[in-house]
Amino acid sequence: MKQPLSLSSKATCNTHGQDSSYFLGWQEYEKDPYDEIHNQGGIIQMGLAENQLSFDLLESWLSENPNVAGFKGNHGELIFRELALFQDYHGRLSFKQAMVKFMAELRGNKVSFDPSKLVLTAGATSANETLMFCLAEKGDAILVPTPYYPGFDRDLKWRTGAEIVPIHCTSSNRFKVTSSALEQAYREAHSLDLNVKAVLVTNPSNPLGTTMTRKELSLLMDFVIDKEIHLVSDEIYSGTVFGPPSFVSIMEVLDERKYDGHDVWDRVHVVYSLSKDLGLPGFRVGAIYSNNEYVVAAATKMSSFGLVSSQTQHFLSVLLSDDKFTCNYIEENKQRLKLRHSLLVSGLSSAGICCLESNSGLFCWVDMRHLLSSNTFEAEMELWRKIVFRVKLNISPGSSCHCTEPGWFRLCFANMSEATLDVAMRRIKEFVAEIVVTRPGNPASNNQRPSHSRPLTSFRSPLSKKSLAKWVFRLSLHDGRER
Ligand SMILES: Cc1ncc(COP(=O)(O)O)c(C=O)c1O
């Protein structure tokens, strides 16, 4: 597209990431979306981390509480005008109170949150960017473990000018963050003349679907103490933990270590949103939680650019204050996610495909390395194109999450019906069987191999570890990706 001369560099630069392969799959899906009745040959959307499993619980609550949607207060009085008039950027206290209650409940009430330390934002997207505006700018780096949520390139870098330097994690230890990977990323940032300002982790992880252990969190805490930098924990999936080990919030570690009064107390920040746990991404409700009064004050002022509407705040304050509802919803939603997750894992397993063992999230991190024609990212894209265009499943390639190993894909399971998931599993099984049959000299009869065993395919021209790392870093710096 020809660049209009009179626009700003921000408006015309290409770092937003909407041209990435990740979006191509979405565009293809939009052209030909699967429908159980009207378009059975269409593309099934497995690239969207949306939670549609518990809508009935929200809808039945709404039908039992008609006043809320009818702009009426507790006693049936009309509150339309109150909601329609000016809202200042501090947000409604009743909503902030309900939100912190819900956040504590999701953490088993092991930590409590103070509503005055909560900043409301239009989703976690806005929360992450606002926090970055508070912590970093051009010349600064944020260290982020790979693989990571593709939207971070947009949210953390695009408008703030900061850079992401990846902390490379690999399948050799189930993609866990290690001390040497942290130190290496720190050195890498310095060699690029970047000033490291923070480590940002997603716990539970998107795209891994795993929770961080206390040990890992302690390691991160020690690292940020040592380097005197910030720690941001994006806990947007905290309510999706359906299996052991249970979720540990970074705020719990801060409390347990009795860090109140220590410098680091002010340098740990949590990002949250109702997009995943409640399945409400369209409502745009997110938050930053921080003990740092300067961050809270600055972020509150900045939140003017992305407030949550009063109407939404009112609705959610009533919903989330209902203890009976929240308690039942949290448990029921987890059970449904657990069941769905097991259907995906067993469906893939019957096609000879393994997933990284996981206990949370709305997706699985799937190992398709044995289906690659070579151990390269080109082969990953080749396989991805086949899966999107021929198998008609829109899935996300690991390279869009900056994974350093070709052959991993993210598959979402909570944005469709069980019947649609079933169709997707049948399609993938047929596809794998077809590959195995058509591949000359393949030990086809034995495709039920565990992920850690040698791939069926022989690898051509493998990239060295160093060139892979360079490739992923280049992607991170220059090629933004999207959710
Ligand atoms: C880790 C992570 N952070 C932030 C977001 C953005 O969420 P929201 O819809 O609340 O802006 C997502 C969405 O997929 C995500 O996975």
Side-chain angles (χ1 to χ4, degrees):
M1 192 170 58
K2 201 165 164 268
Q3 303 266 326
L5 285 176
S6 57
L7 299 191
S8 71
S9 56
K10 210 134 259 171
T12 51
C13 73
N14 203 20
T15 50
H16 174 272
Q18 68 175 3
D19 299 332
S20 81
S21 58
Y22 193 74
F23 256 125
L24 271 180
W26 282 42
Q27 281 165 17
E28 283 312 306
Y29 167 76
E30 296 294 341
K31 283 186 220 160
D32 184 22
Y34 173 82
D35 184 278
E36 280 169 29
I37 295 163
H38 303 292
N39 190 17
Q40 294 177 357
I43 297 181
I44 297 175
Q45 175 61 290
M46 301 190 88
L48 182 59
E50 221 171 56
N51 180 7
Q52 297 183 14
L53 300 191
S54 300
F55 264 143
D56 58 313
L57 303 181
L58 291 163
E59 282 163 352
S60 74
W61 185 89
L62 266 175
S63 64
E64 285 160 20
N65 295 273
N67 275 353
V68 181
F71 293 111
K72 290 190 183 137
N74 287 345
H75 310 291
E77 73 285 14
L78 202 62
I79 53 166
F80 173 76
R81 289 184 184 202
E82 182 194 325
L83 296 178
L85 290 173
F86 177 73
Q87 178 206 152
D88 83 3
Y89 50 50
H90 290 98
R92 294 171 75 81
L93 182 59
S94 60
F95 176 53
K96 286 171 133 180
Q97 283 165 338
M99 191 73 169
V100 292
K101 175 189 91 75
F102 186 60
M103 287 168 68
E105 254 179 293
L106 291 174
R107 288 155 185 79
N109 289 311
K110 288 186 198 132
V111 271
S112 59
F113 295 94
D114 174 350
S116 71
K117 297 178 177 180
L118 190 80
V119 180
L120 299 177
T121 59
T125 301
S126 173
N128 276 314
E129 191 195 47
T130 302
L131 204 43
M132 285 309 116
F133 272 125
C134 294
L135 308 183
E137 56 209 325
K138 197 169 167 42
D140 292 338
I142 312 298
L143 309 184
V144 183
T146 64
Y148 63 77
Y149 163 56
F152 282 154
D153 293 314
R154 171 199 58 198
D155 306 347
L156 312 186
K157 301 188 333 178
W158 181 37
R159 300 197 297 185
T160 66
E163 295 290 358
I164 292 177
V165 173
I167 302 165
H168 294 297
C169 302
T170 65
S171 61
S172 62
N173 67 348
R174 302 183 60 240
F175 297 97
K176 297 217 170 299
V177 176
T178 61
S179 163
S180 62
L182 282 166
E183 291 292 348
Q184 196 190 329
Y186 193 82
R187 281 195 302 272
E188 175 91 45
H190 275 252
S191 72
L192 290 158
D193 243 354
L194 295 168
N195 183 24
V196 178
K197 295 302 282 288
V199 175
L200 184 146
V201 294
T202 305
N203 181 29
S205 160
N206 174 8
L208 300 177
T210 53
T211 44
M212 295 184 107
T213 59
R214 266 200 172 71
K215 202 169 152 211
E216 284 174 274
L217 293 169
S218 292
L219 177 79
L220 286 171
M221 195 70 93
D222 291 340
F223 182 77
V224 300
I225 289 173
D226 179 44
K227 306 293 187 209
E228 299 186 340
I229 58 177
H230 294 261
L231 177 55
V232 179
S233 180
D234 180 335
E235 301 185 353
I236 188 171
Y237 293 99
S238 49
T240 68
V241 186
F242 51 77
S246 55
F247 172 62
V248 183
S249 168
I250 196 67
M251 284 300 170
E252 230 177 294
V253 177
L254 208 57
D255 272 3
E256 275 168 12
R257 286 200 176 186
K258 306 211 179 341
Y259 274 148
D260 192 355
H262 188 292
D263 274 1
V264 80
W265 183 253
D266 283 343
R267 296 201 310 270
V268 176
H269 321 279
V270 166
V271 164
Y272 186 57
S273 143
L274 298 179
S275 299
K276 312 297 174 180
D277 296 347
L278 273 194
L280 300 174
F283 278 26
R284 310 308 305 140
V285 182
I288 297 166
Y289 188 86
S290 174
N291 292 317
N292 187 318
E293 61 180 298
Y294 297 102
V295 168
V296 171
T300 302
K301 283 186 261 170
M302 289 183 199
S303 72
S304 291
F305 299 105
L307 294 175
V308 183
S309 86
S310 308
Q311 186 188 358
T312 300
Q313 288 189 49
H314 168 66
F315 159 54
L316 290 169
S317 67
V318 186
L319 179 87
L320 297 181
S321 304
D322 183 339
D323 291 340
K324 204 167 137 227
F325 170 79
T326 50
C327 177
N328 176 52
Y329 180 94
I330 291 170
E331 274 322 302
E332 183 61 30
N333 184 49
K334 284 183 186 179
Q335 288 313 316
R336 294 180 187 192
L337 289 170
K338 183 178 178 174
L339 180 65
R340 227 13 125 63
H341 169 266
S342 72
L343 290 177
L344 181 72
V345 171
S346 62
L348 290 171
S349 160
S350 72
I353 298 174
C354 294
C355 301
L356 183 80
E357 203 182 312
S358 60
N359 65 342
S360 50
L362 310 174
F363 31 71
C364 282
W365 188 236
V366 179
D367 183 359
M368 299 204 202
R369 286 176 292 175
H370 59 301
L371 300 177
L372 297 183
S373 58
S374 65
N375 185 23
T376 62
F377 286 104
E378 288 74 21
E380 177 177 288
M381 290 316 287
E382 182 197 333
L383 178 63
W384 176 73
R385 272 191 293 273
K386 277 186 197 156
I387 295 176
V388 174
F389 294 101
R390 268 180 43 205
V391 189
K392 302 240 173 158
L393 301 178
N394 181 35
I395 64 175
S396 310
S399 53
S400 68
C401 302
H402 303 278
C403 185
T404 51
E405 294 171 17
W408 292 88
F409 292 82
R410 188 191 75 168
L411 270 68
C412 298
F413 55 72
N415 61 322
M416 68 192 79
S417 71
E418 214 172 292
T420 304
L421 184 60
D422 210 42
V423 176
M425 292 301 97
R426 260 185 280 139
R427 286 186 188 176
I428 205 135
K429 206 169 163 180
E430 279 167 26
F431 170 65
V432 174
E434 191 190 308
I435 293 191
V436 170
V437 168
T438 53
R439 205 165 262 169
N442 240 341
S445 55
N446 186 25
N447 70 340
Q448 306 274 341
R449 60 169 196 87
S451 65
H452 47 79
S453 69
R454 261 189 67 75
L456 292 175
T457 46
S458 61
F459 286 169
R460 273 187 272 128
S461 62
L463 288 173
S464 71
K465 249 193 162 164
K466 212 168 159 196
S467 62
L468 274 181
K470 266 193 190 155
W471 186 85
V472 169
F473 185 68
R474 203 179 62 231
L475 269 181
S476 164
L477 282 183
H478 303 297
D479 185 14
R481 308 283 166 161
E482 188 55 76
R483 177 179 357 157

